[in-house]
Amino acid sequence: MAVTDEAAAAIAGIVKELVQASPGFDDAAAYKYSQAAIGRTVGDYSFRDRQGRTVTLAELRDKPLIVSLIYTSCSQTCPVISHSLIKAVEVAQKTIALDAFRVVTIGFDARVDSPERMRIFARQQGISLPNWEFLSADAATIDRLSEDLGFIFFASAKGFDHLAQVTILDGAGKVFRQVYGDEFDPPLLVEPLKDLIFGRISSLAS
């Protein structure tokens, strides 16, 4: 039986409460919370790009959109996630097309991840593709976006604890697939993109 938006939201709320009540970061609860977001439509939020210009999610719709949330002061996990994403995007460009999808990396540490910091992070990772944006937002927007995406993060002694997650949205802005792990194989991202672009049914699990 299909899960309604209301039921999915209720499940997500319960799991989020469990995660927040847990001592430390609970990967299993975060995974359940993340999976509950599949099928949810992400709101039309406003961001600033690396030049400080306003960009809305509505402007990025009509094509599949890959969303990666990172924080720029991260020295380990976030750069590794970004490098895995670079490899997957390069494979997608070769097997699909450069202009068939878009990518956004969004800084979730609203106090620190300014357009300037996002510009520096992009340069450090060697990313300069025309279909790849690096965006900043205020804390309220980040909180709402994170909830829509099923993305959990907490402040910790090392900066933040968070699920290593990349989200694929369809052209209507709905969560289609979650890809997990700081190092993931390109097909885990490329095959769902092909499903969306070519209308295939994939055998890959979420």
Side-chain angles (χ1 to χ4, degrees):
M1 184 174 68
V3 178
T4 65
D5 288 344
E6 292 79 7
I11 294 169
I14 292 169
V15 174
K16 187 172 184 179
E17 289 177 5
L18 290 173
V19 172
Q20 292 172 334
S22 300
F25 187 82
D26 185 332
D27 281 343
Y31 172 79
K32 292 178 182 177
Y33 179 74
S34 170
Q35 285 289 294
I38 293 176
R40 185 181 302 155
T41 300
V42 176
D44 181 22
Y45 303 116
S46 295
F47 304 88
R48 290 182 297 159
D49 68 10
R50 284 167 283 180
Q51 287 72 45
R53 298 172 299 201
T54 298
V55 176
T56 66
L57 282 185
E59 297 174 53
L60 302 175
R61 287 177 181 165
D62 79 352
K63 297 179 181 180
L65 179 65
I66 301 165
V67 183
S68 174
L69 274 70
I70 58 91
Y71 67 103
T72 59
S73 57
C74 178
S75 61
Q76 296 180 337
T77 302
C78 294
V80 174
I81 293 171
S82 297
H83 291 161
S84 294
L85 188 52
I86 290 168
K87 293 177 183 177
V89 168
E90 288 175 346
V91 172
Q93 289 175 331
K94 294 176 183 177
T95 58
I96 306 173
L98 175 63
D99 62 352
F101 62 93
R102 298 184 175 96
V103 187
V104 292
T105 294
I106 300 170
F108 66 75
D109 185 0
R111 296 173 301 172
V112 174
D113 295 338
S114 64
E116 173 64 18
R117 288 292 294 266
M118 297 305 292
R119 182 163 61 249
I120 292 170
F121 185 84
R123 185 171 65 244
Q124 289 173 336
Q125 310 314 311
I127 301 169
S128 59
L129 296 174
N131 66 331
W132 196 326
E133 295 282 355
F134 285 77
L135 305 176
S136 303
D138 57 49
T141 297
I142 292 298
D143 286 345
R144 293 194 299 270
L145 174 68
S146 298
E147 185 171 353
D148 286 353
L149 296 176
F151 178 78
I152 288 285
F153 65 95
F154 298 104
S156 69
K158 63 183 181 182
F160 290 93
D161 285 338
H162 61 93
L163 192 63
Q165 170 182 310
V166 173
T167 301
I168 302 172
L169 306 183
D170 67 15
K174 288 186 177 181
V175 177
F176 178 71
R177 183 68 56 84
Q178 309 282 26
V179 179
Y180 301 109
D182 47 0
E183 294 184 88
F184 59 86
D185 293 331
L188 291 175
L189 184 135
V190 175
E191 294 306 313
L193 278 179
K194 289 181 178 178
D195 295 342
L196 287 173
I197 293 167
F198 303 131
R200 304 184 329 175
I201 298 176
S202 174
S203 61
L204 285 177
S206 297

